[in-house]
Amino acid sequence: MKDYLADSIRNVVLLGHTGAGKSSLIEASLLQSKAIERMGKTADGTSTVDFDADEIKKGQSIYCAIAPVEWKNHKINFIDTPGYLDYAGEKVTGFSVGDNALVVVSAKDGVESGTESAVKLIKTRHLPTIFFINKMDDENASFEKTYEDLRDHFGKTVIPFEYPIVSNGKVIGSVNILRKKAWYYDNLSVAEDVPADMKDIIDDYYNQISEALATADESLMDKFFEGEEFDDTDIAKGLMAGVRSGEIKPVYCGSATQGKGIERILDLISEYFPSYAEIKTVSAKDPAGNDVELKTDESENLSAQIFKTIVDPFVGKISYLKVMSGVMSSDSAVYNTKKEQTEKVGQIFVVKGKNQIAVGKLFTGDVGAVVKLQYAETNDTLCDKEKPVVFKDIEFPKPMLGVAISPKTKADEDKMSDAIKKVLIEDKSLNFVRNVETGEQVLYAVGDQQIDIVTSKLKNRYKVEITTKEPKIQYRETIRGKSEVQGKYKKQNGGAGQYGDVWVRFEPAPDSEEMVFAEEVFGGSVPRNFFPSVEAGLRGCMNKGPLAGCKVVNVKATLYDGSYHPVDSKPNSFEAAARLAFKAGIPKANPILLEPIGKVTVICPDEYTGDIIGDFNKRRGMIMDTGSTDEPGEAKIDAEVPMAEMMKYATELRSMTKGRGTYVIEFDRYEPAPANVTEKVVAANAANNKDDDED
C-alpha cells in the first residue's frame, strides 16, 4: 500500500442498525477495489472486518474495525461499527475516528432504532453524511418506502440521487437522477434514457435535488428560479458544498452482497466527502489547559490520539491511533502527554481488519496501529515533546447494567483480577467495582450481551471462568430510637482474667454517616486509656447491623459509665465489652432498614412517555420532571426510584421503547425502606446466614 497524504484520505465511519449490511458493504468495496479476491462472510469466518470468534459465533459485528480501500488515487479508511445497542462503546470508538459518515439502511426494514441513534450521534459532530439503502434485492425491499421513512425521520436534507430500476423483483440498474440517465448492471459503461414509466418520478426527485443544490450555493439560486437545468459543473459545485455543510444528505442504493451500487458509492465518497486536510485545523489543549490549534497537514508538529487498545495474548498491547497532524515514523520517540513519558515507536502498521501491513510512516489524517507502547492507553495523546498537546477524550457510554462476578474455581481466582484489568483496558464502556459493603465484585456494562462477550473473552482468551448473579443492593441500617445498655465482658482462666464493663447510650445522629463517638464518664469509672478500645469495639460492629447484616449509619454512641479491674482490665477486654453493648443496644433503639434511592434520567421518543411514567410508578418511583430535549420528538423524564427496582432496567427499557430509549442513574440518598421491603431483605439475610452456617 502506497503512502497517502491528508488531502487524499477519507475517513468514513459506517453506522446503522444491526443487520443492515455495514460489514458487507465494506467487503464489497474491498472486492471492487481488488483488495480481496472474494467477499467474506461473518457467519463462515471469512469476513475481513468481523473476524473475532464471538463475531463469527453470533454472526454480527461486535467490535469496530478498520478497512482501507484504495480507490482512484484516494485512500478511504472505512471504519466498521457494530449496530447492536450493547456494543455502543465500540460504535463510539469508531465514530471518534470518522470525518464523514455512511449510514446503511435496510431496504426491507427501513429506519430502525440503530438508524436513529446513528443520526443522533452524527449530529454531535455535524459530519457530512450519505445514506445507502442496502439489500435492494431482498424480497419486499422498497426504495420509495425506505426513502420516505428517512425523510420523515430526518428531514428534507435527505435527498435521493439515484433511483433503482427493478424488473421481475430484481434490481437490474439505476437512474442517475441529476443526469437523468439510466445505467444497467450488465453494461455500466453505457448510459441510456430513463425508462418512460419512470420519467415523472425522476422529474419530481430532480426538482428536490435542484432546490437543495440552489440552497447550498447562492450562485446557483438564480439558475434555479429561472428554471434552467444545472450542468455538470453546477452539480459538482452545489453537491460538494451541500454535502460538506450538511444541507444535503444524498441517498444512494444497491446491494452489497450482490456488488450492486458499490462503484458509485466509492466514487461519491472520493469526490464529495471532504478530505482530512480540508478540516484545516484541529483543536487541542496544552498541558496548562490553554487552547491550541494544529494544522491538519504534514508540515505541522506530530500529534496523534489513541482511540482503541487491544491486549493480544501473543503480541502484547496494540494501540490503534489516528494521526491528527504531522507525520509519525517507525523507530522514533514520541511524547505521551497524559502519562508524561516518552514512548518508543517501533513498527507502524496499517490495519485491514485482522491483517496488519507494516509501513514506514503514517501521515496526517491516516489511521494505523503501533505495538508494545509501554505506557499508552485509549484516549492518550502522542506528540512531539517540544510541542506537547492533549486531545479531548472520547466520551464512552456510561454502563448501567451490573452483575456480581466471582471466579468459578480457585485457579480462576488467581487469574481473574489480571484478566479483568486487561478487559477494562480494551473496553472503556465497562466499569468494575469492588463493593466493600456487600463484599461483591461488580462488573457494569451497557447490556447483557456485552456481559456475555466479556464472559466469553475471559474464558477463551484468558482461560478464566466466572459465575455471574444479580448484585446485592447496598442497603444500610440506622436507628430511630434511643437505648442505654450495659456491655460486660468477664473471663477467668485460672491466672490473670479479663474484665471490661461499659454503659453505652445509642441515639440517632442524622447529620453524620459514620458513627459519632462521645464519652461522659465521671469519676474514672472507666479509665481514659480504655476509651479508644471502647470506640474501636463499637466501630468494628458498625459494618453489620442486627436486621439484615448491613452497614449501620447515622448513630451516636456515648460511653457514660462502666467499671474496671486493676489487674484483669485490658484494652481487648473493653473492646469486647463494647461489642456486647452494641449487640444489646442497637436492637432496642428501633432499628430500621435504609434503601438507596437513585436519580434517573430517561431520554426516549415522545410516544413512550406514558409507558415510562407508568412503569416508574410500578417501581415505587416518583416523577420529578418531564420535558423535551433539543431533538424534535424526543422526551426527557427525570425520576427518583429505589435502586433495587432498577437492577435490570437497561434490558427492560430497551424492550419498552424498541431500543430507542436510553437512561442514566446515579445514587442520590438513602431513605427508610417500606415494611414489605424490609421483611424481604431480612428474610433473605436470614436464609444466607443459615446457608453459611450449614457450610
Side-chain angles (χ1 to χ4, degrees):
M1 182 171 288
K2 71 176 187 178
D3 293 334
Y4 290 87
L5 302 182
D7 59 359
S8 299
I9 293 173
R10 308 288 188 272
N11 294 314
V12 182
V13 57
L14 276 79
L15 300 167
H17 197 76
T18 184
K22 299 180 294 297
S23 300
S24 297
L25 182 55
I26 291 177
E27 289 287 334
S29 299
L30 290 167
L31 183 65
Q32 184 74 43
S33 64
K34 296 181 171 53
I36 56 176
E37 294 181 356
R38 65 183 183 90
M39 277 190 65
K41 295 181 179 179
T42 302
D44 60 18
T46 57
S47 170
T48 303
V49 289
D50 294 338
F51 53 86
D52 183 85
D54 287 314
E55 291 178 314
I56 295 168
K57 180 180 177 182
K58 289 181 175 289
Q60 63 179 185
S61 298
I62 294 174
Y63 305 103
C64 90
I66 313 296
V69 171
E70 295 179 283
W71 186 254
K72 298 181 179 178
N73 295 318
H74 294 90
K75 182 181 182 184
I76 303 171
N77 285 318
F78 280 121
I79 304 108
D80 190 27
T81 65
Y84 196 70
L85 296 171
D86 279 25
Y87 315 128
E90 288 291 324
K91 179 167 70 174
V92 170
T93 295
F95 179 73
S96 71
V97 185
D99 305 313
N100 306 281
L102 181 59
V103 181
V104 184
V105 187
S106 166
K108 180 180 179 181
D109 301 313
V111 173
E112 300 175 88
S113 61
T115 322
E116 293 177 351
S117 64
V119 174
K120 190 174 180 180
L121 192 61
I122 288 166
K123 287 182 179 179
T124 63
R125 289 178 52 210
H126 307 288
L127 296 188
T129 303
I130 295 172
F131 289 96
F132 184 79
I133 299 178
N134 191 28
K135 302 187 176 183
M136 285 300 304
D137 282 338
D138 279 13
E139 188 176 354
N140 299 321
S142 171
F143 177 87
E144 293 91 343
K145 184 179 178 181
T146 305
Y147 165 65
E148 291 302 328
D149 202 8
L150 287 168
R151 201 165 168 89
D152 288 344
H153 276 83
F154 309 125
K156 293 184 178 180
T157 59
V158 179
I159 300 169
F161 277 70
E162 70 175 355
Y163 190 84
I165 303 172
V166 181
S167 177
N168 297 322
K170 294 291 184 181
V171 179
I172 60 172
S174 67
V175 175
N176 183 312
I177 296 170
L178 276 172
R179 291 179 171 82
K180 295 185 178 181
K181 289 293 182 180
W183 276 268
Y184 293 86
Y185 293 129
D186 58 0
N187 190 7
L188 286 173
S189 61
V190 178
E192 299 187 19
D193 291 334
V194 176
D197 60 346
M198 295 174 61
K199 285 187 177 181
D200 288 344
I201 193 169
I202 296 303
D203 286 341
D204 287 341
Y205 283 144
Y206 179 86
N207 290 334
Q208 288 183 24
I209 297 173
S210 297
E211 183 177 354
L213 291 175
T215 303
D217 190 286
E218 291 183 7
S219 65
L220 300 180
M221 190 69 73
D222 292 339
K223 267 193 172 185
F224 174 72
F225 282 118
E226 290 172 6
E228 293 183 42
E229 290 197 358
F230 297 140
D231 59 27
D232 288 352
T233 302
D234 294 332
I235 291 169
K237 182 179 180 182
L239 184 54
M240 189 171 290
V243 170
R244 281 159 168 72
S245 67
E247 292 295 321
I248 296 175
K249 297 179 178 66
V251 179
Y252 280 73
C253 64
S255 171
T257 56
Q258 300 298 319
K260 296 175 181 177
I262 304 305
E263 183 175 352
R264 291 192 308 282
I265 203 71
L266 292 174
D267 284 342
L268 189 72
I269 288 170
S270 301
E271 292 174 24
Y272 296 116
F273 267 163
S275 69
Y276 183 76
E278 291 179 54
I279 298 172
K280 300 296 184 183
T281 61
V282 62
S283 300
K285 299 278 187 183
D286 67 16
N290 301 310
D291 291 334
V292 177
E293 293 294 320
L294 297 164
K295 293 183 295 183
T296 55
D297 64 42
E298 291 75 20
S299 66
E300 180 63 271
N301 288 80
L302 169 68
S303 66
Q305 185 174 32
I306 297 173
F307 64 89
K308 180 179 174 69
T309 305
I310 293 177
V311 183
D312 189 282
F314 305 104
V315 179
K317 189 161 59 176
I318 305 173
S319 301
Y320 285 67
L321 52 83
K322 178 179 180 180
V323 178
M324 310 296 281
S325 65
V327 180
M328 179 174 282
S329 302
S330 296
D331 300 320
S332 63
V334 296
Y335 185 64
N336 186 329
T337 314
K338 284 190 176 181
K339 301 296 191 298
E340 298 183 347
Q341 297 285 346
T342 298
E343 301 266 18
K344 175 65 176 176
V345 176
Q347 182 63 61
I348 298 174
F349 298 93
V350 167
V351 180
K352 186 172 77 174
K354 58 188 171 184
N355 302 311
Q356 298 174 354
I357 305 164
V359 294
K361 293 181 178 180
L362 211 58
F363 294 87
T364 299
D366 214 346
V367 292
V370 178
V371 298
K372 298 181 180 178
L373 294 179
Q374 186 173 355
Y375 308 101
E377 296 181 15
T378 299
N379 273 330
D380 281 358
T381 298
L382 306 178
C383 58
D384 289 336
K385 193 169 186 178
E386 58 267 24
K387 190 175 182 178
V389 294
V390 179
F391 290 106
K392 183 181 178 182
D393 283 356
I394 303 165
E395 294 184 11
F396 292 95
K398 190 173 182 180
M400 293 287 114
L401 181 65
V403 291
I405 67 171
S406 56
K408 208 166 190 178
T409 67
K410 175 63 178 174
D412 295 318
E413 183 177 354
D414 296 336
K415 296 182 290 184
M416 189 179 82
S417 178
D418 184 56
I420 288 290
K421 286 179 183 176
K422 292 175 180 177
V423 169
L424 293 175
I425 288 172
E426 290 192 338
D427 192 343
K428 294 299 182 181
S429 65
L430 295 170
N431 190 23
F432 183 67
V433 176
R434 290 181 174 86
N435 193 313
V436 177
E437 291 187 28
T438 64
E440 291 182 323
Q441 300 179 91
V442 184
L443 178 69
Y444 289 92
V446 176
D448 51 7
Q449 290 296 312
Q450 188 183 15
I451 290 171
D452 289 345
I453 293 301
V454 172
T455 303
S456 174
K457 184 182 291 186
L458 289 171
K459 180 180 179 180
N460 297 325
R461 185 185 295 184
Y462 301 111
K463 313 304 177 187
V464 175
E465 292 195 63
I466 61 170
T467 59
T468 63
K469 64 178 181 179
E470 190 172 291
K472 297 176 184 176
I473 296 297
Q474 194 170 305
Y475 293 103
R476 288 182 173 178
E477 299 176 33
T478 191
I479 56 174
R480 281 185 164 175
K482 184 177 178 180
S483 67
E484 294 182 347
V485 296
Q486 181 186 27
K488 190 172 184 178
Y489 182 74
K490 186 177 181 181
K491 193 172 183 180
Q492 197 74 34
N493 289 326
Q498 295 188 50
Y499 182 89
D501 178 25
V502 297
W503 282 86
V504 181
R505 181 188 311 118
F506 295 98
E507 57 192 320
D511 296 330
S512 177
E513 179 180 311
E514 297 300 322
M515 184 195 79
V516 176
F517 178 73
E519 53 84 16
E520 298 174 358
V521 177
F522 296 99
S525 57
V526 177
R528 185 166 294 276
N529 60 301
F530 291 129
F531 291 176
S533 299
V534 175
E535 181 178 358
L538 292 171
R539 290 196 185 280
C541 294
M542 295 291 287
N543 291 325
K544 193 170 184 179
L547 291 176
C550 304
K551 181 179 179 179
V552 181
V553 296
N554 309 126
V555 170
K556 181 179 180 181
T558 304
L559 172 65
Y560 67 93
D561 203 358
S563 63
Y564 76 101
H565 188 279
V567 176
D568 292 348
S569 289
K570 302 174 181 66
N572 61 333
S573 304
F574 276 90
E575 193 171 329
R579 289 196 292 269
L580 293 173
F582 179 92
K583 292 177 182 178
I586 295 296
K588 294 179 180 179
N590 189 15
I592 62 169
L593 189 72
L594 299 174
E595 66 175 349
I597 305 296
K599 282 190 173 181
V600 188
T601 298
V602 175
I603 304 293
C604 67
D606 285 332
E607 62 194 274
Y608 299 109
T609 301
D611 294 338
I612 300 298
I613 292 174
D615 181 68
F616 275 143
N617 290 332
K618 294 176 184 177
R619 297 174 190 269
R620 300 187 288 124
M622 181 178 294
I623 304 300
M624 306 306 292
D625 189 26
T626 59
S628 58
T629 69
D630 294 335
E631 191 76 19
E634 191 173 71
K636 178 183 178 184
I637 304 164
D638 293 315
E640 293 181 351
V641 190
M643 301 287 276
E645 304 290 342
M646 299 293 288
M647 298 302 289
K648 297 181 179 178
Y649 193 65
T651 303
E652 291 158 348
L653 177 65
R654 184 176 301 170
S655 177
M656 274 190 289
T657 62
K658 298 180 181 177
R660 288 171 161 86
T662 61
Y663 83 107
V664 291
I665 183 169
E666 292 184 352
F667 166 77
D668 184 54
R669 65 188 184 280
Y670 277 92
E671 284 189 355
N676 63 319
V677 173
T678 299
E679 291 172 5
K680 183 179 178 181
V681 175
V682 170
N685 180 65
N688 289 336
N689 287 339
K690 182 180 179 181
D691 291 341
D692 292 341
D693 292 340
E694 290 175 354
D695 291 343

